[in-house]
Amino acid sequence: KMKIRLLLLSCLVFIWCNRTIAQTTKTLPLEISLFNNATLLPGAAEAGVFGWPIHPGVRAALVFYLQQREKSAWFQTAQLAYHYHRYVHHGIQLYSELGYLHDLSSTFDIEGRIGLGYLHAISAVPSFELKEGSYQKRDNLGRAQMTGGATLGFGYEIAPNWRLFLQSQFYLQIPFVREYVPILPNLAFHAGVQFPLTINKGS
């Protein structure tokens, strides 16, 4: 039941985002970032944002604006991400964030986001169970989990509609292991680029 609820929630978010995008724009920003994902609380990593050892990931995010003003904007994202947590799992994330961006100057900006989504965790190591007096390998279909958290970022515009950014994302992974670690904190440090993507609108 939990898997079904989480999948339905993620699908509804992406359907809503897709319909909104199709109705309002032909070109929208696309973010591509590489990130390091660590099981840490904010402030517990290098410079408070980067943890060791490295658990690499990649993320793609569509951004569309809800409201734009001269020096600020509200926006919504639709994101797909993957990360590998060494010896633990492969994580596939589907989520959305509501964000606010404010220009500090003509080139620098700061942003904050809050988000909610779905994470499918596939074990990175085989697991076994005792059946009929012998250990047998379990199917590795993964586990459905929910994520929720916040992101703080800084950006630099290198050309019109092209932007480099750094982001520190903190999110909770629920449930991780119900018996002894039901909530797992994660800290992801992103470095990426945002650029315009042209979408052909349907009739």
Side-chain angles (χ1 to χ4, degrees):
K1 290 183 179 179
M2 177 62 75
K3 288 185 178 182
I4 293 174
R5 291 195 194 101
L6 292 173
L7 284 170
L8 285 175
L9 173 63
S10 298
C11 288
L12 287 172
V13 168
F14 270 76
I15 290 171
W16 176 74
C17 290
N18 182 64
R19 290 189 63 182
T20 304
I21 291 168
Q23 294 170 359
T24 58
T25 185
K26 289 184 179 180
T27 303
L28 66 155
L30 173 65
E31 291 181 354
I32 300 294
S33 67
L34 300 178
F35 66 93
N36 178 45
N37 195 85
T39 52
L40 293 170
L41 290 169
E46 295 289 339
V49 296
F50 194 90
W52 297 95
I54 292 176
H55 304 294
V58 60
R59 182 193 67 182
L62 293 173
V63 180
F64 60 96
Y65 292 104
L66 305 176
Q67 183 184 71
Q68 287 182 282
R69 296 180 178 176
E70 184 179 353
K71 291 189 176 183
S72 64
W74 286 94
F75 60 91
Q76 188 82 32
T77 69
Q79 309 191 38
L80 178 65
Y82 163 81
H83 72 267
Y84 170 62
H85 194 292
R86 190 167 56 171
Y87 307 131
V88 180
H89 65 239
H90 301 269
I92 301 170
Q93 291 177 271
L94 188 66
Y95 62 104
S96 180
E97 289 181 311
L98 174 66
Y100 174 79
L101 182 143
H102 182 78
D103 290 333
L104 299 175
S105 69
S106 60
T107 53
F108 288 97
D109 61 68
I110 187 172
E111 63 173 321
R113 308 179 181 188
I114 55 173
L116 187 69
Y118 172 82
L119 186 147
H120 197 79
I122 302 172
S123 178
V125 294
S127 61
F128 299 85
E129 59 183 342
L130 185 61
K131 281 187 178 180
E132 300 176 355
S134 64
Y135 286 96
Q136 298 180 20
K137 189 175 181 180
R138 289 179 174 175
D139 292 333
N140 189 14
L141 301 178
R143 295 175 293 138
Q145 299 171 349
M146 185 175 75
T147 63
T151 300
L152 179 65
F154 297 91
Y156 176 74
E157 188 176 51
I158 55 175
N161 299 318
W162 283 76
R163 175 175 171 267
L164 300 178
F165 62 84
L166 297 175
Q167 295 172 351
S168 179
Q169 178 191 18
F170 173 71
Y171 67 94
L172 299 175
Q173 189 174 333
I174 310 169
F176 183 62
V177 179
R178 293 182 185 275
E179 292 77 11
Y180 58 93
V181 188
I183 300 176
L184 185 71
N186 288 267
L187 191 63
F189 182 73
H190 294 257
V193 60
Q194 182 186 97
F195 57 91
L197 176 69
T198 300
I199 301 293
N200 292 322
K201 294 174 66 178
S203 58

